[in-house]
C-alpha cells in the first residue's frame, strides 16, 4: 500500500455519545457504535504536544492519526486492541488537520478500565 494510509496499522471502532429522552422528562446519554471501522495509528504524544496539553490542563496522553475523511469527532470514543491483544479505549479530545489534509490528528485520553 502506498500513500499516507500505509502507516495506519490498526482498525478502531467509533462510539459516539447519543442523547435520548428517558420518558420521564430527562435525557440519557449513551455511547452508540457507528458503522464500520476507521484505520488508525496510535502514538504517544511528542514532548511539545505534552507540554501544550499540560499548559491547557488537558489529559492528552495518546495521539491517534486517521485518514482525513474519517468520521471521528470530539467526544467520540475509539475502541480496539493493541499488538498484544489488550483492549484499549480512547476518548477523543479534538480532531485537527494539518494545512495539507494528508491525515487527521486526534489528541486522546486512554480510558483505564477496571478488571
Amino acid at each position: 500500500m502506498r500513500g499516507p494510509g500505509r502507516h495506519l496499522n490498526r482498525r478502531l471502532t467509533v462510539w459516539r455519545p447519543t442523547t435520548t429522552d428517558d420518558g420521564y422528562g430527562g435525557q440519557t446519554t449513551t455511547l452508540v457504535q457507528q458503522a464500520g471501522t476507521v484505520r488508525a495509528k496510535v502514538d504517544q504524544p511528542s514532548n511539545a504536544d505534552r507540554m501544550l496539553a499540560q499548559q491547557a490542563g488537558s489529559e492528552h496522553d495518546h495521539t491517534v492519526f486517521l485518514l482525513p475523511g474519517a468520521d471521528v469527532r470530539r467526544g467520540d470514543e475509539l475502541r480496539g486492541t493493541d499488538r498484544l491483544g489488550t483492549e484499549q479505549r480512547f476518548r477523543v479530545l479534538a480532531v485537527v488537520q494539518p494545512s495539507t489534509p494528508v491525515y487527521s490528528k486526534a489528541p486522546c485520553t486512554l480510558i483505564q478500565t477496571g478488571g
Side-chain angles (χ1 to χ4, degrees):
M1 174 186 294
R2 297 183 93 56
R6 72 179 176 275
H7 299 294
L8 304 178
N9 56 4
R10 293 178 63 179
R11 296 216 178 253
L12 302 174
T13 57
V14 179
W15 293 73
R16 184 156 296 143
T18 304
T19 303
T20 56
D21 291 331
D22 66 5
Y24 299 100
Q27 295 182 323
T28 302
T29 300
T30 57
L31 291 173
V32 176
Q33 184 175 358
Q34 304 301 292
T37 60
V38 293
R39 292 178 45 204
K41 179 178 185 244
V42 178
D43 279 344
Q44 298 290 321
S46 69
N47 288 336
D49 285 342
R50 283 186 191 158
M51 185 172 20
L52 287 172
Q54 285 178 335
Q55 290 172 348
S58 174
E59 301 173 17
H60 175 201
D61 57 21
H62 284 77
T63 300
V64 177
F65 294 91
L66 307 152
L67 290 173
D71 184 15
V72 174
R73 304 173 190 169
R74 178 182 180 189
D76 284 353
E77 191 173 287
L78 302 175
R79 298 181 185 179
T81 56
D82 64 11
R83 289 177 285 170
L84 302 175
T86 304
E87 289 187 29
Q88 292 183 314
R89 294 171 33 202
F90 301 95
R91 182 175 303 109
V92 178
L93 303 173
V95 179
V96 295
Q97 287 186 344
S99 56
T100 303
V102 176
Y103 62 87
S104 292
K105 181 177 176 181
C108 295
T109 298
L110 177 65
I111 300 169
Q112 299 290 333
T113 56

